[in-house]
PDB file of all heavy atoms in Angstrom:
ATOM      1  N   ASN A  25      52.140  46.098 -30.074  1.00  0.00           N
ATOM      2  CA  ASN A  25      52.850  45.752 -31.304  1.00  0.00           C
ATOM      3  C   ASN A  25      54.154  45.014 -31.024  1.00  0.00           C
ATOM      4  O   ASN A  25      55.082  45.100 -31.779  1.00  0.00           O
ATOM      5  CB  ASN A  25      53.138  47.056 -32.069  1.00  0.00           C
ATOM      6  CG  ASN A  25      52.888  46.869 -33.525  1.00  0.00           C
ATOM      7  OD1 ASN A  25      52.526  45.772 -33.949  1.00  0.00           O
ATOM      8  ND2 ASN A  25      53.101  47.915 -34.311  1.00  0.00           N
ATOM      9  N   TYR A  26      54.193  44.290 -29.908  1.00  0.00           N
ATOM     10  CA  TYR A  26      55.470  43.665 -29.559  1.00  0.00           C
ATOM     11  C   TYR A  26      55.773  42.458 -30.440  1.00  0.00           C
ATOM     12  O   TYR A  26      54.883  41.906 -31.090  1.00  0.00           O
ATOM     13  CB  TYR A  26      55.466  43.254 -28.090  1.00  0.00           C
ATOM     14  CG  TYR A  26      54.509  42.150 -27.770  1.00  0.00           C
ATOM     15  CD1 TYR A  26      54.954  40.824 -27.722  1.00  0.00           C
ATOM     16  CD2 TYR A  26      53.165  42.394 -27.530  1.00  0.00           C
ATOM     17  CE1 TYR A  26      54.062  39.814 -27.438  1.00  0.00           C
ATOM     18  CE2 TYR A  26      52.272  41.400 -27.248  1.00  0.00           C
ATOM     19  CZ  TYR A  26      52.726  40.100 -27.218  1.00  0.00           C
ATOM     20  OH  TYR A  26      51.863  39.096 -26.946  1.00  0.00           O
ATOM     21  N   ILE A  27      57.013  42.082 -30.477  1.00  0.00           N
ATOM     22  CA  ILE A  27      57.420  40.933 -31.286  1.00  0.00           C
ATOM     23  C   ILE A  27      57.235  39.685 -30.450  1.00  0.00           C
ATOM     24  O   ILE A  27      57.639  39.626 -29.293  1.00  0.00           O
ATOM     25  CB  ILE A  27      58.895  41.068 -31.715  1.00  0.00           C
ATOM     26  CG1 ILE A  27      59.076  42.340 -32.517  1.00  0.00           C
ATOM     27  CG2 ILE A  27      59.340  39.851 -32.510  1.00  0.00           C
ATOM     28  CD1 ILE A  27      60.508  42.816 -32.561  1.00  0.00           C
ATOM     29  N   GLU A  28      56.617  38.659 -31.046  1.00  0.00           N
ATOM     30  CA  GLU A  28      56.442  37.425 -30.318  1.00  0.00           C
ATOM     31  C   GLU A  28      57.647  36.529 -30.541  1.00  0.00           C
ATOM     32  O   GLU A  28      57.894  36.056 -31.638  1.00  0.00           O
ATOM     33  CB  GLU A  28      55.185  36.709 -30.823  1.00  0.00           C
ATOM     34  CG  GLU A  28      54.088  36.796 -29.784  1.00  0.00           C
ATOM     35  CD  GLU A  28      52.879  36.029 -30.211  1.00  0.00           C
ATOM     36  OE1 GLU A  28      52.049  36.585 -30.931  1.00  0.00           O
ATOM     37  OE2 GLU A  28      52.795  34.864 -29.834  1.00  0.00           O
ATOM     38  N   TYR A  29      58.383  36.292 -29.494  1.00  0.00           N
ATOM     39  CA  TYR A  29      59.526  35.409 -29.594  1.00  0.00           C
ATOM     40  C   TYR A  29      59.082  33.999 -29.304  1.00  0.00           C
ATOM     41  O   TYR A  29      58.366  33.773 -28.327  1.00  0.00           O
ATOM     42  CB  TYR A  29      60.623  35.815 -28.591  1.00  0.00           C
ATOM     43  CG  TYR A  29      61.318  37.097 -28.948  1.00  0.00           C
ATOM     44  CD1 TYR A  29      61.068  38.244 -28.219  1.00  0.00           C
ATOM     45  CD2 TYR A  29      62.211  37.122 -29.992  1.00  0.00           C
ATOM     46  CE1 TYR A  29      61.697  39.429 -28.542  1.00  0.00           C
ATOM     47  CE2 TYR A  29      62.850  38.304 -30.335  1.00  0.00           C
ATOM     48  CZ  TYR A  29      62.585  39.461 -29.602  1.00  0.00           C
ATOM     49  OH  TYR A  29      63.209  40.615 -29.917  1.00  0.00           O
ATOM     50  N   ASP A  30      59.533  33.055 -30.109  1.00  0.00           N
ATOM     51  CA  ASP A  30      59.275  31.661 -29.784  1.00  0.00           C
ATOM     52  C   ASP A  30      60.544  31.134 -29.124  1.00  0.00           C
ATOM     53  O   ASP A  30      61.498  30.816 -29.779  1.00  0.00           O
ATOM     54  CB  ASP A  30      58.956  30.889 -31.062  1.00  0.00           C
ATOM     55  CG  ASP A  30      58.662  29.436 -30.750  1.00  0.00           C
ATOM     56  OD1 ASP A  30      58.794  29.050 -29.584  1.00  0.00           O
ATOM     57  OD2 ASP A  30      58.303  28.709 -31.688  1.00  0.00           O
ATOM     58  N   PHE A  31      60.503  31.047 -27.810  1.00  0.00           N
ATOM     59  CA  PHE A  31      61.732  30.677 -27.085  1.00  0.00           C
ATOM     60  C   PHE A  31      62.171  29.247 -27.382  1.00  0.00           C
ATOM     61  O   PHE A  31      63.321  28.904 -27.238  1.00  0.00           O
ATOM     62  CB  PHE A  31      61.534  30.877 -25.595  1.00  0.00           C
ATOM     63  CG  PHE A  31      61.572  32.321 -25.229  1.00  0.00           C
ATOM     64  CD1 PHE A  31      60.423  33.024 -24.962  1.00  0.00           C
ATOM     65  CD2 PHE A  31      62.790  32.999 -25.191  1.00  0.00           C
ATOM     66  CE1 PHE A  31      60.456  34.370 -24.654  1.00  0.00           C
ATOM     67  CE2 PHE A  31      62.843  34.334 -24.875  1.00  0.00           C
ATOM     68  CZ  PHE A  31      61.668  35.028 -24.612  1.00  0.00           C
TER      69      PHE A  31
END
Side-chain angles (χ1 to χ4, degrees):
N25 222 359
Y26 67 96
I27 301 160
E28 253 184 274
Y29 289 107
D30 181 356
F31 286 102

